[in-house]
Amino acid sequence: MNTQPHDPVLNEPLEPGLYIVATPIGNLGDVTKRAVDVLQRVSVIACEDTRVTGKLLKAIGVSTRMQRYDDHASAETRARLLERARDEAVALVSDAGTPLVSDPGYRLVREARELGITVTSLPGACAAIAGLTLSGLPNDRFMFAGFLPVKDKARRNVLDELGGIATTLIFYETGPRLERSLRTIAEVWPSREVSVARELTKLHEECRSGSAGELAEHYAAHPPKGEIVLLIGPPVEEAVSADPDELLREALETMSASKAAGAVARLTGLDRQTLYARAVEIKNS
């Protein structure tokens, strides 16, 4: 690993390629010197919204031309950017934070690599990691899972799918949808610890923890705004250590094999399909 500090020569042209540049998630002071240097020296900056990125560039004194590149960008737009990156330096930024983390850019980077175009990543702010460090939840293993679905059934299906993973789960969420997501989590995992991190790096930064039910009540009374990092702790050890066969037998007294497996999966975090197969065996024995 190169441990030497980055000390660019400002009038030295950048090598051609695609530069993935992280930008602040709220506090302008979090922009790195390297990011400013690269954004000054690239030929064009690909961004989600030129109005949002334009405000950042004005604040840091950068006048590089911008080109819109978002989820709706065409294959032709992507091809033109890649063609340009063969001979010039092209930067990719998102509205806030690290590009490609629940943001556009995956196809651009993948195709650049396939074409042999050099891809360079400039690390910086990331809301998911900032939220994790504030939450106090176990961080030796964690999984980022993007945004939860809007519809209740789809949201529950995602939670059921992830229930067997013994790790801290990280989602992005919006203020208007937070309460409903918390209520679904409370139904699926009533005992798991949940944290809500919002206004990260800003004046009113907040990280509130508790059960999903408690947090749902709080945010029903105090509706939040903006984007939010929603974190769910791993299954509690006491529940995981319980005998799954015994839990299944109790559940099967009042439920079908499918519903019993789902209930025990939510309680223990164990794989639902494995539990279902075992529930069928117990029921038929």
Side-chain angles (χ1 to χ4, degrees):
M1 179 182 292
N2 181 7
T3 58
Q4 297 301 313
H6 181 75
D7 188 15
V9 179
L10 292 181
N11 59 359
E12 177 186 338
L14 284 171
E15 292 292 323
L18 179 63
Y19 292 77
I20 306 167
V21 183
T23 56
I25 57 175
N27 189 321
L28 188 61
D30 292 332
V31 68
T32 68
K33 291 181 179 180
R34 187 180 176 202
V36 175
D37 169 52
V38 167
L39 293 175
Q40 285 175 331
R41 297 161 67 201
V42 295
S43 298
V44 65
I45 299 170
C47 56
E48 292 181 81
D49 188 329
T50 56
R51 295 165 299 180
V52 173
T53 300
K55 292 178 183 178
L56 169 66
L57 298 186
K58 183 178 180 180
I60 61 177
V62 172
S63 57
T64 305
R65 190 173 75 83
M66 295 174 285
Q67 178 176 331
R68 191 178 185 95
Y69 183 81
D70 58 18
D71 280 329
H72 307 292
S74 66
E76 290 77 13
T77 298
R78 186 162 59 251
R80 286 195 294 270
L81 279 172
L82 292 169
E83 187 61 31
R84 191 162 188 172
R86 289 181 182 275
D87 304 309
E88 303 173 19
V90 174
L92 172 67
V93 302
S94 63
D95 283 350
T98 300
L100 280 77
V101 180
S102 209
D103 278 316
Y106 156 75
R107 291 185 181 87
L108 186 68
V109 171
R110 186 174 183 86
E111 291 183 22
R113 290 173 57 85
E114 289 173 351
L115 293 169
I117 296 170
T118 300
V119 179
T120 302
S121 181
L122 282 67
C126 176
I129 300 302
L132 178 65
T133 59
L134 282 173
S135 70
L137 292 171
N139 57 20
D140 54 331
R141 295 178 64 199
F142 58 89
M143 176 182 174
F144 175 71
F147 282 88
L148 281 168
V150 176
K151 295 185 177 179
D152 292 342
K153 185 176 186 302
R155 189 186 306 121
R156 180 183 285 274
N157 288 343
V158 167
L159 295 175
D160 282 341
E161 177 187 344
L162 298 176
I165 304 174
T167 189
T168 295
L169 302 173
I170 306 174
F171 300 94
Y172 285 162
E173 191 52 279
T174 65
R177 288 167 34 183
L178 178 63
E179 183 194 346
R180 292 189 70 176
S181 289
L182 287 168
R183 294 200 183 282
T184 303
I185 296 166
E187 293 172 5
V188 176
W189 298 322
S191 62
R192 288 173 72 162
E193 185 179 0
V194 176
S195 291
V196 172
R198 51 185 295 273
E199 295 292 292
L200 291 171
T201 77
K202 299 178 185 178
L203 180 63
H204 300 293
E205 178 178 272
E206 173 189 69
C207 186
R208 184 175 294 272
S209 299
S211 71
E214 292 168 343
L215 293 174
E217 293 301 322
H218 173 80
Y219 288 111
H222 306 87
K225 296 180 180 179
E227 291 193 357
I228 289 159
V229 182
L230 175 59
L231 306 100
I232 305 171
V236 293
E237 282 188 28
E238 293 78 8
V240 173
S241 63
D243 180 3
D245 277 10
E246 186 61 32
L247 293 173
L248 284 171
R249 288 190 180 93
E250 291 179 8
L252 285 168
E253 292 178 3
T254 57
M255 301 179 186
S256 68
S258 177
K259 289 185 177 180
V264 175
R266 290 192 290 271
L267 181 64
T268 65
L270 297 174
D271 179 68
R272 182 173 182 166
Q273 290 184 338
T274 302
L275 289 168
Y276 173 71
R278 182 58 182 151
V280 171
E281 290 179 4
I282 293 173
K283 195 170 185 178
N284 293 336
S285 62

